[in-house]
Amino acid sequence: MNSAEWHARIETAGQVAGAGFLITPRKVLTCAHVVGRGGAADGLTVTFTERPGFPAVPARVIADGGWGGGPTDLGDLAVLELAYEVPIAPAALAPVDAAHGERADRPRKLVVYGFPVGFDEGTLAEYRVTAAQLLNREWIQLEAWQPGGQPLAPGFSGAAVALADTGEVVGMVTAAAGAQDVRNGRMMPTEVMARYWPDLEGLVPTSDHGAADRARLRGLVERAVRAHLDCDPVRLVRLYEAARGPLDPDAPEEGFDSLWSAALFVLCEIDGADAAGTVARFSAQVEALFRAPAAPAAAPAWSPILVDLRHSGAGDGHVRVEVSAYSGGRRHPVASETVPQARVRAYVQERIDAAFRYLTPGCDELIAFALPRDWIDLPVDRWASAPDDETPLGSVYPLVVTDQARLRPGTRHQLTRAWRRLDTLPGARVHRVECGSPEDPARLRLRLRKPDACLAGFATAPAASATRPHFDTSLTAPAPVVVWSRGGCAGGAGGCAGGDGCAGKTFLDELDACVSAVPPAELPREVLALREEADAEEGHWARDIQLLWDDPRVFTDPHGDTPAHARSPVS
């Protein structure tokens, strides 16, 4: 539990009355019997003993569960409001089913921090759940983790019951056994507490988020708050929009009042198959706050070399190859020739090398291949970079592909408008097209045409029959960026369920984590780094990554003198 500072000691008239725990920066939960029926206790204060020297904070009762005053009466809950917000991270709650353990013969250890007589500074007791059954729809029975352990006694009432391994709270102690040497008691679980105080519902995470993911996000938020990196409401909504999945709810109309509230919304309101992906993306957005520059960094001024490969009228054994270089806003034709298919790679190597003569020394070079749609999966990034160097071309330079069918002026106009919007985004949010149950292509088109759309990520290669209509839709919508693995999911076309062990799901999960904090304009450089990693690591998830990245502003020629390449993306 790492000396969690959210543990609270409740005092009335200067005497220790029980325990409690901080649930928001200004609210503490405890038992109603600790503060008296109706919150009638005088001189109510709260002390955070794990923050030595921090003064006791005056408090008042603002809500209760309607407790009747008897030891077995229901609703023994009180909500205290502090006189002011405290600079202490609140307790983290666990999903409602976390206290029991996955197997009955392997219960989870629970830890309680209370203030019995003689322990004004606090002491710990170790317990576990006797059974998952709710007693009287109100309590869960606790029993000592081992014989001879610290019994629950007066002073533990109102204490949080937390998971020993994660420190997340699963409930609150309401009663001890009442008999000497009987080491058990009762706790009110969080789902019952939320029944009496509905505001708690928004603080309990869904079970679709892993403990490690929850802990990472909370740790990042704590760091950001300590570093005064909390964001304004507009930016908080943008952070969430950049992270949320296609089926996740919209941000609340009132927005978020703090980074904490935005993180809790992600943990508590989002569930389903992509819940982990949303948490990972939002965590990456928060992490990016630590390395964000004081002023937005300018997008790279790419100087592309365009390789246009087309079907040739000379027969299947030949390919039409046109190569151009861009520098200073002008296109420089390098070569245009029909080449036997067996010589295409060598011809492209030579012409790319020649195209570098037209680029400004030290500029941000970009290799772009314009391909017919039936060649869009061509592994051009794996072609050797030079006759005497077998290093893959995509591991030497940023390399992207684009689809020749997107050359119509109307499509270029739409893409230009989309990229102006993408320039304002802090990261590339992935719209996942799973191999198991892809959404209807018509709905995918609507989703990809929304203002926050950026990157369509596919679990299968374009040739997979199950997702081919969705791939075509992503190109014609048009999605500014499309990413997939040429290996894809081997069972994608055959109806893979897309669960754990699916190569396509693994690819999309890893992609989410890598690009969610990368500005869209920087994606070619990010994918270059991934390809370099994949060359050095056998079985790397990104070895066959294909990046369709299409910013028409990169291929501009204001002078219009491009007759040799009138059909290419530069026109």
Side-chain angles (χ1 to χ4, degrees):
M1 296 172 69
N2 299 322
S3 252
E5 295 179 340
W6 46 261
H7 291 297
R9 186 176 67 204
I10 313 300
E11 299 161 358
T12 58
Q15 301 295 316
V16 176
F21 54 103
L22 189 71
I23 199 67
T24 75
R26 200 175 173 181
K27 291 184 175 64
V28 170
L29 298 184
T30 188
C31 291
H33 77 258
V34 169
V35 297
R37 186 177 178 184
D42 295 327
L44 183 60
T45 60
V46 175
T47 299
F48 297 97
T49 58
E50 292 301 299
R51 179 71 77 88
F54 196 83
V57 184
R60 65 187 182 97
V61 178
I62 61 168
D64 61 51
W67 178 63
T72 60
D73 287 343
L74 306 181
D76 191 3
L77 171 73
V79 183
L80 312 185
E81 183 180 70
L82 304 178
Y84 51 83
E85 289 191 2
V86 293
I88 295 173
L93 303 187
V96 295
D97 56 353
H100 316 302
E102 296 181 358
R103 292 172 48 180
D105 61 338
R106 293 184 182 177
R108 299 191 72 170
K109 182 186 289 188
L110 307 175
V111 178
V112 183
Y113 189 102
F115 303 91
V117 174
F119 293 93
D120 286 356
E121 75 285 1
T123 190
L124 296 172
E126 296 179 338
Y127 276 75
R128 62 187 173 191
V129 168
T130 301
Q133 178 181 348
L134 269 180
L135 304 175
N136 203 16
R137 299 186 65 248
E138 183 86 357
W139 305 290
I140 287 179
Q141 183 168 307
L142 299 174
E143 61 183 32
W145 182 257
Q146 57 186 0
Q150 167 68 47
L152 296 179
F156 278 99
S157 293
V161 181
L163 300 173
D165 53 350
T166 70
E168 295 176 307
V169 174
V170 295
M172 178 182 71
V173 174
T174 57
Q180 189 175 9
D181 296 329
V182 178
R183 286 174 168 79
N184 62 22
R186 291 177 175 177
M187 79 168 181
M188 181 185 292
T190 52
E191 66 264 34
V192 175
M193 297 166 72
R195 186 196 310 159
Y196 293 117
W197 188 48
D199 287 0
L200 195 66
E201 291 180 356
L203 303 176
V204 179
T206 71
S207 57
D208 291 314
H209 304 300
D213 294 334
R214 297 193 302 269
R216 177 172 180 258
L217 176 54
R218 287 177 178 130
L220 286 169
V221 172
E222 287 183 28
R223 282 179 56 205
V225 171
R226 286 196 302 268
H228 304 290
L229 295 177
D230 215 345
C231 307
D232 64 82
V234 173
R235 189 174 185 189
L236 288 171
V237 171
R238 287 177 179 170
L239 290 180
Y240 172 69
E241 290 296 330
R244 77 182 183 100
L247 301 180
D248 293 339
D250 294 334
E253 289 186 8
E254 66 276 14
F256 305 110
D257 58 9
S258 69
L259 196 55
W260 275 116
S261 65
L264 286 170
F265 186 86
V266 170
L267 291 174
C268 304
E269 299 297 330
I270 294 175
D271 54 15
D274 191 34
T278 302
V279 169
R281 292 188 294 271
F282 190 80
S283 296
Q285 294 293 328
V286 176
E287 192 170 29
L289 295 176
F290 295 98
R291 58 179 183 268
W302 296 113
S303 292
I305 294 173
L306 178 70
V307 180
D308 191 344
L309 304 183
R310 294 179 178 271
H311 295 288
S312 170
D316 292 340
H318 291 74
V319 177
R320 183 67 181 175
V321 183
E322 296 177 346
V323 180
S324 301
Y326 287 79
S327 180
R330 294 182 62 87
R331 181 193 63 82
H332 304 277
V334 176
S336 179
E337 189 174 340
T338 299
V339 180
Q341 199 166 33
R343 288 195 57 240
V344 168
R345 294 192 186 191
Y347 183 86
V348 168
Q349 287 173 353
E350 295 168 2
R351 287 357 182 235
I352 287 178
D353 192 52
F356 270 97
R357 296 198 304 266
Y358 296 97
L359 301 187
T360 302
C363 68
D364 291 310
E365 74 279 359
L366 174 73
I367 310 298
F369 280 79
L371 304 171
R373 190 165 302 181
D374 57 337
W375 290 357
I376 203 68
D377 215 23
L378 201 64
V380 289
D381 60 291
R382 304 300 302 173
W383 290 5
S385 58
D388 58 351
D389 185 356
E390 290 299 318
T391 305
L393 189 64
S395 298
V396 177
Y397 307 111
L399 185 149
V400 302
V401 300
T402 190
D403 174 35
Q404 290 170 346
R406 298 173 21 140
L407 306 183
R408 293 186 297 272
T411 303
R412 308 309 285 171
H413 178 81
Q414 289 178 300
L415 282 169
T416 300
R417 184 173 57 204
W419 274 98
R420 287 173 179 163
R421 172 179 47 79
L422 295 186
D423 287 342
T424 66
L425 297 183
R429 188 175 65 81
V430 178
H431 178 84
R432 300 166 66 105
V433 182
E434 309 279 0
C435 59
S437 55
E439 61 191 299
D440 182 86
R443 292 187 62 83
L444 176 61
R445 175 179 295 277
L446 290 174
R447 186 70 190 88
L448 293 176
R449 292 179 70 87
K450 287 189 175 182
D452 62 339
C454 174
L455 189 159
F458 281 78
T460 63
S465 59
T467 53
R468 182 68 201 209
H470 304 80
F471 183 79
D472 291 341
T473 295
S474 72
L475 296 186
T476 59
V481 184
V482 186
V483 182
W484 67 96
S485 169
R486 291 187 298 271
C489 171
C496 170
D500 291 339
C502 166
K505 179 181 183 301
T506 299
F507 176 80
L508 291 181
D509 289 345
E510 296 284 357
L511 182 68
D512 274 345
C514 283
V515 307
S516 59
V518 178
E522 293 278 2
L523 285 173
R525 204 185 326 270
E526 179 70 15
V527 171
L528 168 63
L530 289 173
R531 286 169 173 154
E532 289 177 313
E533 290 179 13
D535 282 345
E537 180 182 333
E538 186 175 354
H540 194 284
W541 65 273
R543 177 173 176 79
D544 293 316
I545 191 170
Q546 193 86 326
L547 171 64
L548 189 150
W549 183 96
D550 197 357
D551 182 352
R553 301 170 302 175
V554 171
F555 303 99
T556 56
D557 188 350
H559 300 286
D561 53 347
T562 57
H565 296 258
R567 296 176 298 167
S568 76
V570 306
S571 56

